[in-house]
Amino acid sequence: MTQPAPQPPPQHVAIIMDGNGRWAKARGLPRLEGHRRGVETVRTVVDTARELGIRYLTLYAFSAENWKRPSEEISGLMGLLDFFLKRELNNLIKEKVRLHTIGRIDALPANVQRELARVKEATQHFTEWNLVLALNYGAQQEAADAARAYATAVQEGRENPDDVSWERFSQYFATAGMPTPELLIRTSGELRLSNFLMLQLAYAELVFTPTLWPDFGRADFVAAVEEFHRRERRFGSTSEQLPSGPR
Ligand code: IPE
Ligand code: IPE
Ligand code: MG
């Protein structure tokens, strides 16, 4: 029997990294300790993405709604982000990973903005591997920002509303130029999107795992990608119409 042809990996995987607080609570530790362990998981998933041939990895690190958290937790998270960026600069250069961000970066603390700018600039010429951090990101805020930029373009005569389409309008989104995420993973058992990439995920395969983010390892990532490969992606057509035929 001939082996089935190996399936290409998803080009873009987006992850909602959730469950740090519960991981810490279960151990009687402060929430920040869970976030600290979560940073180590980020290192693992960046490595695994490259190993699997996933060119874009988008990580939801801080939502536009996460400002509601206690101020000590927010400053702890910002401190960890600063630490992560300083620690990873050389690794990202060595591994040829380009850093991108989506979200309203200008509301982040000045030191974090500085580190982000430094890492982005140092990695901007890399094309093969891409790490996208969603920071102060919300899909609804992104849509509002896109609408504002589009309206300005109309006022300036650069766009004609008669020509609007998703292909065109999406160029005003923070993810412009990136492939659409084909796989979304959310850890910690929560079954919701929490304002993450809602339009871009229109046809993504959604994989939810009960594993808490600090416990999410290489094997969990591989299992999620295997689950993705088992799905039949029809995009509105019938099974029979697919080039691979019905399953
Ligand atoms: C995800 O873990 C990290 C961020 C949202 C920054 P949580 O902090 O949401 O962990 P839980 O959901 O409280 O367990
Ligand atoms: C979503 O997780 C945001 C990030 C992972 C950064 P939350 O823990 O903030 O989401 P909700 O509040 O449970 O929906
Ligand atoms: Mg959470």
Side-chain angles (χ1 to χ4, degrees):
M1 219 173 90
T2 53
Q3 290 282 323
Q7 290 168 294
Q11 281 203 82
H12 188 167
V13 175
I15 306 184
I16 303 178
M17 312 186 283
D18 200 9
N20 295 349
R22 278 162 284 168
W23 183 93
K25 194 171 176 198
R27 288 161 182 77
L29 298 169
R31 290 179 60 85
L32 197 60
E33 197 48 42
H35 296 314
R36 217 170 263 135
R37 290 294 296 256
V39 171
E40 300 318 310
T41 303
V42 171
R43 177 64 349 243
T44 307
V45 295
V46 171
D47 283 344
T48 309
R50 283 170 62 248
E51 182 200 331
L52 297 178
I54 296 160
R55 294 190 48 232
Y56 281 81
L57 177 67
T58 295
L59 302 177
Y60 203 6
F62 193 85
S63 75
E65 288 75 32
N66 285 146
W67 297 109
K68 293 176 190 162
R69 294 193 178 200
S71 58
E72 313 80 67
E73 180 167 349
I74 296 173
S75 46
L77 281 166
M78 293 301 154
L80 277 175
L81 183 56
D82 185 67
F83 159 81
F84 171 80
L85 293 166
K86 288 190 167 94
R87 188 186 74 176
E88 293 299 323
L89 175 63
N90 288 332
N91 291 332
L92 295 175
I93 293 172
K94 200 164 65 208
E95 295 161 1
K96 297 189 164 46
V97 180
R98 180 173 178 182
L99 181 78
H100 309 253
T101 56
I102 56 173
R104 292 178 178 167
I105 294 305
D106 56 3
L108 297 176
N111 64 313
V112 171
Q113 290 190 50
R114 234 180 358 255
E115 286 306 314
L116 285 169
R118 201 158 77 97
V119 181
K120 281 196 219 178
E121 203 202 304
T123 61
Q124 63 183 346
H125 48 290
F126 299 133
T127 53
E128 192 170 6
W129 306 111
N130 298 275
L131 172 63
V132 185
L133 293 181
L135 294 166
N136 188 21
Y137 175 86
Q140 292 168 340
Q141 292 80 351
E142 179 187 38
D145 289 345
R148 191 182 309 106
Y150 181 80
T152 304
V154 171
Q155 274 175 340
E156 294 175 354
R158 291 181 280 116
E159 288 286 0
N160 177 351
D162 292 339
D163 298 334
V164 77
S165 61
W166 168 245
E167 284 66 33
R168 205 162 177 113
F169 186 46
S170 63
Q171 295 310 307
Y172 292 84
F173 278 56
T175 49
M178 299 177 192
T180 305
E182 295 124 296
L183 168 61
L184 170 87
I185 303 169
R186 182 168 188 154
T187 58
S188 89
E190 304 297 352
L191 307 180
R192 56 176 169 267
L193 292 181
S194 301
N195 204 10
F196 189 43
L197 295 174
M198 293 188 299
L199 285 169
Q200 294 89 333
L201 294 174
Y203 267 105
E205 295 301 327
L206 310 182
V207 171
F208 297 99
T209 166
T211 305
L212 302 175
W213 181 248
D215 292 328
F216 188 83
R218 181 189 173 280
D220 300 287
F221 198 174
V222 170
V225 172
E226 284 171 355
E227 169 66 25
F228 167 82
H229 285 307
R230 281 193 293 274
R231 304 271 178 95
E232 184 179 71
R233 307 190 73 211
R234 292 190 286 275
F235 302 97
S237 63
T238 68
S239 269
E240 289 70 21
Q241 289 172 303
L242 298 176
S244 53
R247 293 218 171 167

